[in-house]
Amino acid sequence: MPRSIWNGTISVGLAHVPIKLYSATESKTVSFHEVHLKDGARLEHKRLCSKEGKEVPYKEVVKGFEVAPDEFIVLEKDEVAAAAGGRGKVIEIEEFVPDDEIDPVFYEKTYYVGWRDDDEVYRVFQEALKQTGRVGIGRFTFHNREYLAAVRALGDVLALHTMRFHDEIVRGSELDVATPGKGAAKAEIEMASQLVDSLHRDFDPGEYEDSYREAVLGLIARKAKGEEIEPEADEPEEETSDLMAALQASLKGS
Amino acid sequence: MARTLWSGSLSFGLVNVPIRLTSAARNLDLRFRQLHEKDGALIEQRRFCSQEDSEVEWEEVGRGFELEDGEQVVLTDEELSSVEPRKTRTISVEAFVDLEDVDPIYFDHPWFLTPSGDSEGTLRAYGLLTEVMESTGRAALGRFVMRTKEYLVLVRPRDGLLSLTTLRFHDEVRSTDEIAPGGRKPAKSKIDGAVAVIESLSTEWEPERYTDCYRERLQGVIEDKKKGKRIKAPEQVEEPKPAPDLMAALQETLDRMGSGASKKPARGNGDGLEKLSREELYERAQAEDVPGRSKMSKDELIAALDG
């Protein structure tokens, strides 16, 4: 059984669902620790006081918010906790919205929601979300900070996404993008659609491996055997000058 | 103007569209710095060698990887760069998939792709690709290298432009096998009851209605502190126990909503309490010192505040 990272309750009106949260994703990027090239010894990050130049023990470190250049307001831990609000271990679902109305750009981190104590109420809630195609929206407090959260049915379980707020999402209208003098011609649209069709596949995530991860692991293996490692060079790309010709040639080749 | 993090070209078939990549999300969290409590001076992080206890410059830092037998392999940044894939300036489209088949659990960071330069050819190719993906409901799967890492990405239209999302690889998404509940499907009457509650609490997705209360409260705490006020943490809501009779709890939830106490503003006295979240209601109840507020539901809070 994977280890849960949070226990709490999802409340919908007077119905309460006891739950556990699990990480849904894990990075498999090859991670290194920093070492001193000279002697291979691990590096330590030390906290130094910029005024005294001396090491500062962790218990003497405080959180400061810069209100003006070089003017800080220091917050105690319980003052930061005050901002987390009084929600405790309850995720109260305030409303439900159609799944397909939420652009996934709002979803930040994903957790799996597992059942606790009573799997029946969990299954009832999960099944009802699946049948209605809706997502529950509520607030969630984790590690002294509050998040907006979306709870939805995912396969046989529930998933919880922490969400970005609307002002944290960049809108297309904020970007200065020029429009072409004239729109695409019918023939171009048809040909591009054909090209999209010819490259159409079912999405099977298992088909795609992290080739960079493989390459880094391969490099480590080569280095471990004592091989010499040499750097490689980039190659430049060109802009398409004749769109129709490029589309046609692509279709022939596909 | 948004900062360009990468520029190159999006290539599908033999069509190359010069594009730039800008982030489609910004983090508005308040940033704190570490200070030394004694003198209020900024804390600096420095690297020290654990063997020599001397400071180590960036040029002397290597990447250590521990093998299974405990041996360590050390790579320089230059050696690491030798495995960067060669086509570093191209997002090459490998396939088109149905957007609805890609679960958002795979989505990592969102970006926008905008045309680079304003040559007519570039703008037309960009517009054409956007239009075709919009009309077919398809998204492009491709790969590209940013900084040192190769990413699997999904390109799809959003707000009339092309957006790009880095994707997690299949083995970075965990299995749900050990989390899913076993056993039989619950009774239809119970599911129907829950469906009725969900339907009655349903609304449209309007992201502007949700603000970052945490950010606002933290700003408030900082303002108060600036004025010399001491801030206390609020009392925490007690975790409710599951109702012994789920059907009765669902029915009562429905009844309360039916009485107009919640969602739809039926009372018409214009105080707008129904539009507030439980959080906001709770804060008002705290200000008015309503007794027993931590155990109250949203409806009960409205009733208490409205009295």
Side-chain angles (χ1 to χ4, degrees):
Chain A
M1 196 74 186
R3 218 158 59 92
S4 63
I5 52 169
W6 192 81
N7 277 5
T9 296
I10 294 179
S11 292
V12 183
L14 300 171
H16 308 295
V17 189
I19 58 138
K20 288 182 179 200
L21 286 188
Y22 303 88
S23 299
T25 58
E26 57 189 325
S27 172
K28 292 267 174 89
T29 300
V30 182
S31 63
F32 295 94
H33 44 253
E34 291 181 346
V35 298
H36 196 183
L37 279 176
K38 197 171 77 177
D39 53 16
R42 287 227 188 169
L43 297 188
E44 290 168 352
H45 284 242
K46 287 192 178 172
R47 281 177 293 267
L48 300 187
C49 172
S50 57
K51 205 178 270 179
E52 300 177 327
K54 274 191 267 179
E55 194 176 352
V56 179
Y58 185 68
K59 62 177 193 318
E60 289 177 27
V61 176
V62 291
K63 269 182 138 180
F65 182 79
E66 197 165 21
V67 286
D70 287 327
E71 191 196 323
F72 292 91
I73 297 287
V74 172
L75 293 191
E76 310 295 334
K77 287 196 177 66
D78 62 325
E79 289 174 314
V80 177
R87 193 161 280 99
K89 296 240 171 206
V90 183
I91 303 172
E92 184 162 309
I93 303 294
E94 290 170 16
E95 49 210 11
F96 293 89
V97 302
D99 196 356
D100 53 13
E101 280 185 12
I102 304 180
D103 190 293
V105 74
F106 283 98
Y107 295 154
E108 196 160 24
K109 197 160 164 45
T110 309
Y111 300 93
Y112 289 137
V113 181
W115 60 279
R116 181 166 65 85
D117 302 338
D118 172 11
D119 72 336
E120 191 193 28
V121 61
Y122 176 94
R123 292 175 59 110
V124 168
F125 185 50
Q126 202 271 348
E127 194 61 42
L129 279 178
K130 195 188 267 181
Q131 277 185 22
T132 54
R134 292 217 164 81
V135 174
I137 306 287
R139 305 247 177 187
F140 161 52
T141 308
F142 188 52
H143 289 309
N144 264 339
R145 101 148 268 184
E146 182 192 89
Y147 297 89
L148 185 66
V151 179
R152 67 180 177 110
L154 174 64
D156 295 335
V157 299
L158 293 169
L160 180 147
H161 299 277
T162 56
M163 299 183 92
R164 297 185 173 94
F165 288 95
H166 66 96
D167 48 359
E168 294 183 307
I169 307 272
V170 178
R171 302 276 154 188
S173 54
E174 293 175 48
L175 301 175
D176 186 18
V177 176
T179 42
K182 58 179 182 152
K186 202 163 164 257
E188 286 172 340
I189 293 176
E190 274 170 17
M191 202 161 291
S193 302
Q194 272 184 53
L195 185 54
V196 167
D197 276 341
S198 71
L199 287 169
H200 182 248
R201 309 272 182 278
D202 287 333
F203 178 59
D204 176 5
E207 271 181 39
Y208 304 91
E209 298 296 339
D210 186 348
S211 53
Y212 179 66
R213 190 199 307 161
E214 305 290 321
V216 172
L217 290 171
L219 176 70
I220 291 169
R222 277 158 53 206
K223 184 77 192 265
K225 279 190 259 169
E227 264 180 52
E228 275 291 303
I229 314 288
E230 278 175 46
E232 286 180 46
D234 290 1
E235 65 182 45
E237 283 293 322
E238 279 166 33
E239 177 188 347
T240 306
S241 51
D242 184 343
L243 185 56
M244 254 332 242
L247 286 169
Q248 248 155 3
S250 303
L251 266 179
K252 273 189 202 134
S254 68
Chain B
M1 188 62 202
R3 205 157 63 93
T4 300
L5 276 123
W6 187 90
S7 64
S9 63
L10 178 68
S11 93
F12 86 117
L14 298 172
V15 182
N16 278 313
V17 189
I19 44 91
R20 297 179 216 278
L21 190 73
T22 55
S23 181
R26 51 188 152 232
N27 189 339
L28 296 179
D29 287 350
L30 301 181
R31 308 271 157 121
F32 288 90
R33 305 284 302 270
Q34 291 193 325
L35 303 177
H36 192 184
E37 192 169 24
K38 195 171 75 177
D39 53 14
L42 282 171
I43 300 281
E44 290 171 0
Q45 296 262 7
R46 303 269 186 84
R47 291 178 179 78
F48 278 76
C49 175
S50 58
Q51 201 155 297
E52 300 180 330
D53 200 33
S54 61
E55 197 174 338
V56 176
E57 295 300 317
W58 182 245
E59 299 74 46
E60 300 172 64
V61 177
R63 314 281 144 199
F65 184 87
E66 202 168 300
L67 299 173
E68 275 171 28
D69 59 10
E71 285 289 302
Q72 177 174 262
V73 174
V74 175
L75 295 173
T76 62
D77 285 348
E78 203 178 25
E79 287 172 328
L80 250 182
S81 71
S82 74
V83 292
E84 278 174 33
R86 291 184 62 207
K87 283 187 180 176
T88 54
R89 301 252 64 101
T90 307
I91 301 171
S92 50
V93 174
E94 293 178 8
F96 286 90
V97 297
D98 294 327
L99 181 57
E100 58 182 26
D101 287 350
V102 188
D103 192 277
I105 200 169
Y106 287 99
F107 287 27
D108 200 354
H109 192 86
W111 307 86
F112 265 120
L113 289 179
T114 56
S116 178
D118 47 14
S119 88
E120 181 72 5
T122 298
L123 296 180
R124 287 191 65 189
Y126 181 92
L128 177 63
L129 192 54
T130 314
E131 192 176 333
V132 168
M133 282 206 257
E134 237 156 34
S135 64
T136 55
R138 289 195 177 141
L141 265 183
R143 286 174 190 267
F144 92 117
V145 177
M146 182 166 52
R147 299 200 190 97
T148 63
K149 194 172 146 59
E150 186 190 56
Y151 295 87
L152 180 64
V153 300
L154 188 75
V155 177
R156 66 184 177 106
R158 181 166 83 82
D159 289 355
L161 300 177
L162 292 179
S163 70
L164 175 146
T165 312
T166 48
L167 295 180
R168 295 177 213 280
F169 287 97
H170 65 100
D171 54 357
E172 295 182 313
V173 173
R174 292 184 169 160
S175 156
T176 58
D177 289 353
E178 291 181 74
I179 295 166
R184 287 186 305 130
K185 197 169 159 175
K188 188 173 178 295
S189 58
K190 289 182 181 167
I191 296 171
D192 288 347
V195 166
V197 168
I198 290 173
E199 300 281 5
S200 68
L201 278 171
S202 282
T203 177
E204 278 167 26
W205 168 241
E206 293 166 69
E208 293 76 16
R209 283 198 292 120
Y210 307 93
T211 56
D212 190 347
C213 305
Y214 176 74
R215 195 197 306 156
E216 288 161 10
R217 282 192 301 255
L218 201 51
Q219 262 153 355
V221 169
I222 292 166
E223 283 305 312
D224 284 353
K225 187 78 188 265
K226 214 167 146 185
K227 292 182 204 138
K229 274 200 257 174
R230 189 75 180 82
I231 302 93
K232 278 191 294 185
E235 50 182 310
Q236 298 291 304
V237 175
E238 256 179 61
E239 199 175 343
K241 294 261 179 299
D245 182 349
L246 178 61
M247 274 314 276
L250 291 171
Q251 190 55 53
E252 203 183 336
T253 304
L254 271 179
D255 289 347
R256 289 198 182 183
M257 285 185 298
S259 70
S262 179
K263 290 317 296 172
K264 309 284 176 267
R267 40 183 81 205
N269 55 3
D271 59 5
L273 286 176
E274 299 80 5
K275 287 191 190 128
L276 300 179
S277 65
R278 187 187 176 282
E279 170 68 27
E280 290 161 323
L281 291 166
Y282 183 78
E283 275 166 13
R284 288 196 185 194
Q286 222 170 1
E288 292 186 21
D289 207 20
V290 174
R293 58 188 177 267
S294 65
K295 283 177 197 155
M296 287 186 182
S297 69
K298 184 171 172 176
D299 298 350
E300 289 162 344
L301 283 169
I302 291 173
L305 287 167
D306 206 28

